[in-house]
DNA sequence: CGTGTTTTTATGTATATACATAAAAGCATG
DNA sequence: CATGCTTTTATGTATATACATAAAAACACG
């Protein structure tokens, strides 16, 4: 038996991974149950459970009670992107971070924003636009609407030295959110701020966050042309 | 004490989440250790461990041995995108999937491809371009290079009825990969296939996969204009 | 022979306990 | 007082055990 030190859950996981990669267990195959694996590896069932659960979370195994555990037929690669505070993102790349407030106004929002935030169409909301810089070059343009009905404190902030991005994260909790990635052509205004040609292809990240049933903020972050978001799978 | 049924790890997790959201425990705060929480909730320490570990994986807590557990000062939102087989992606949206092979050739790859795949610049690789359709409309354009040195079997496939996307996933294992998201302007060729204006902003997903130390494939998937990738956080 | 009920079974989870390990803090020693 | 060793402590993990639960399979019954 080619069983290495599989007394730890990582050991079990490695051995299971090896068998999947070596196609000893093929996509779609039912694998032995936890008790059998525990016996084979000479460890306790919870140890096997920990290993298999973790692989299932990564999408490599599919588990169903009673039905057993099978190798995912077509594993769905899960790309986890870290959406950090933009300042940290810049600083982590070893660059100097800069910040410029471009606009701060309180006004009636476009209907797609008030609809997304679930507020009345006549509601006046806080609108903030800001440019994030990396080594003095435009890095990302943040276009944000804040639901001041739920976050009145935002009205007292001028967002000149701290970005809304950072202030909200520090001061306003949220329980859930939605995030969408898309490509968008730069508008004339985007182009002016990001210092790029109009209609450049920009990576756009749209976020909508909620605190229980109250919307908090809707934001679009447009990255300068050529920007990439990377991750391992 | 406002402690609900926290005898399960989900219960503990919910209560911890509530305290974080209610700012009873503020960002950066050190929270009580596992043993204390277990005592407070009237459950065993492993139950608390399970709850806190899971929250740490989601980025809401930061844990260090001996140092204790603290609420993440600036929680990094983790957006997990599911990168499935394109056919499934289309079918899951309730649309009719279509597939057209656009190109299949064996030739010397551009240097950025041979470099990425770690093969000699003179190596002839398999190049496949294919269009994925949703209800007969262009959905995504797949531009793929396959390392035939490591995956010779690919040469026997004509990829006319099954996409390289799907064939590889079913037949060639990989142990790790890299994925990058970006926005790109449509080239004349992209525009022709995707039936969109040249220079349209396209969402591009680039993947590079490896089986241990052997590269498998490098692929760029360009989605039709307006495409969004969404997820919850 | 189909349908509803019971049984079986595999995973899911909780617990008490024990030991491992990383790292901070304290202590000792030059 | 600085440096290196020791202790302490919080998390990390393993185990035996037990019970919960979902769902497939078997069964019974009209």
């Amino acid at each position: 038996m080619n069983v290495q030190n599989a007394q730890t859950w990582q050991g079990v996981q490695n051995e299971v991974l090896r068998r999947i990669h070596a196609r000893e267990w093929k996509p779609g195959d039912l694998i032995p149950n936890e008790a059998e694996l525990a016996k084979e590896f000479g460890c306790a069932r919870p140890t096997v459970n920990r290993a298999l659960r973790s692989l299932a979370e990564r999408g490599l195994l599919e588990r169903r009670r009673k039905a057993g555990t099978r190798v995912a037929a077509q594993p769905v690669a899960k790309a986890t992107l870290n959406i950090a505070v933009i300042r940290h993102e810049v600083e982590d790349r070893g660059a100097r971070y800069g910040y410029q407030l471009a606009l701060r106004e309180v006004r009636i929002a476009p209907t797609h924003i008030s609809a997304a935030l679930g507020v009345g169409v006549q509601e006046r909301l806080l609108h903030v636009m800001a440019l994030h810089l990396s080594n003095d070059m435009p890095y990302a343009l943040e276009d944000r609407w804040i639901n001041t009905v739920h976050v009145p404190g935002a009205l007292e902030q001028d967002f000149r030295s701290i970005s809304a991005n950072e202030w909200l994260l520090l001061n306003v909790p949220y329980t859930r959110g939605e995030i969408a990635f898309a490509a968008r052509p730069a508008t004339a205004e985007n182009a002016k701020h990001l210092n790029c040609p109009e209609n450049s292809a920009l990576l756009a990240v749209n976020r909508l966050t909620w605190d229980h049933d109250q919307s908090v903020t809707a934001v679009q972050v447009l990255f300068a042309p050529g920007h990439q978001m990377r991750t391992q799978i």
Side-chain angles (χ1 to χ4, degrees), chain A:
Chain A
M1 242 352 127
N2 196 348
V3 181
Q4 48 163 1
N5 277 28
Q7 249 63 350
T8 68
W9 71 266
Q10 291 98 332
V12 173
Q13 191 176 71
N14 285 339
E15 175 59 16
V16 170
L17 267 177
R18 192 193 62 72
R19 292 182 188 185
I20 294 173
H21 290 147
R23 302 268 152 157
E24 288 174 26
W25 293 338
K26 300 189 186 59
D29 278 6
L30 198 64
I31 74 172
N33 70 37
E34 293 188 350
E36 288 171 52
L37 288 175
K39 198 175 138 198
E40 185 193 343
F41 293 139
C43 67
R45 188 167 76 85
T47 306
V48 174
N49 180 279
R50 177 90 162 81
L52 299 188
R53 176 159 45 82
S54 160
L55 289 173
E57 278 165 12
R58 283 167 53 184
L60 275 92
L61 293 177
E62 282 165 6
R63 322 193 74 198
R64 268 181 35 239
R65 282 193 186 178
K66 160 69 188 172
T69 301
R70 45 182 76 240
V71 180
Q74 305 203 311
V76 175
K78 301 201 171 170
T80 301
L81 293 168
N82 291 335
I83 318 285
V85 171
I86 298 174
R87 177 165 65 81
H88 292 174
E89 210 175 294
V90 170
E91 288 171 351
D92 285 353
R93 295 181 179 214
R96 187 173 59 255
Y97 174 76
Y99 169 76
Q100 283 171 11
L101 181 66
L103 172 78
R104 184 191 183 287
E105 58 177 1
V106 178
R107 53 167 285 229
I108 293 172
T111 51
H112 73 277
I113 296 288
S114 50
L117 291 173
V119 299
V121 287
Q122 290 301 312
E123 200 70 64
R124 288 155 59 83
L125 302 179
L126 179 56
H127 181 209
V128 175
M129 278 187 55
L131 188 63
H132 300 264
L133 305 159
S134 171
N135 287 336
D136 302 321
M137 301 281 288
Y139 179 80
L141 181 64
E142 173 186 354
D143 184 348
R144 182 183 297 270
W145 291 84
I146 301 175
N147 181 357
T148 46
V149 180
H150 184 234
V151 191
L155 290 169
E156 287 147 33
Q157 286 293 321
D158 64 11
F159 297 119
R160 263 186 281 189
S161 54
I162 185 173
S163 71
N165 179 258
E166 212 159 332
W167 182 83
L168 281 167
L169 214 42
L170 276 170
N171 295 284
V172 186
Y174 66 92
T175 53
R176 62 198 170 88
E178 224 182 87
I179 204 160
F181 300 83
R184 302 182 69 87
T187 65
E189 194 189 20
N190 298 157
K192 188 187 72 192
H193 286 115
L194 291 171
N195 192 26
C196 67
E198 206 173 324
N199 292 319
S200 299
L202 305 179
L203 183 61
V205 178
N206 279 78
R207 253 183 304 172
L208 187 58
T209 57
W210 297 75
D211 186 23
H212 297 101
D213 285 344
Q214 290 281 339
S215 66
V216 175
T217 185
V219 62
Q220 176 172 76
V221 177
L222 289 169
F223 290 94
H227 183 82
Q228 287 200 339
M229 301 187 75
R230 304 171 151 283
T231 186
Q232 308 287 121
I233 50 177

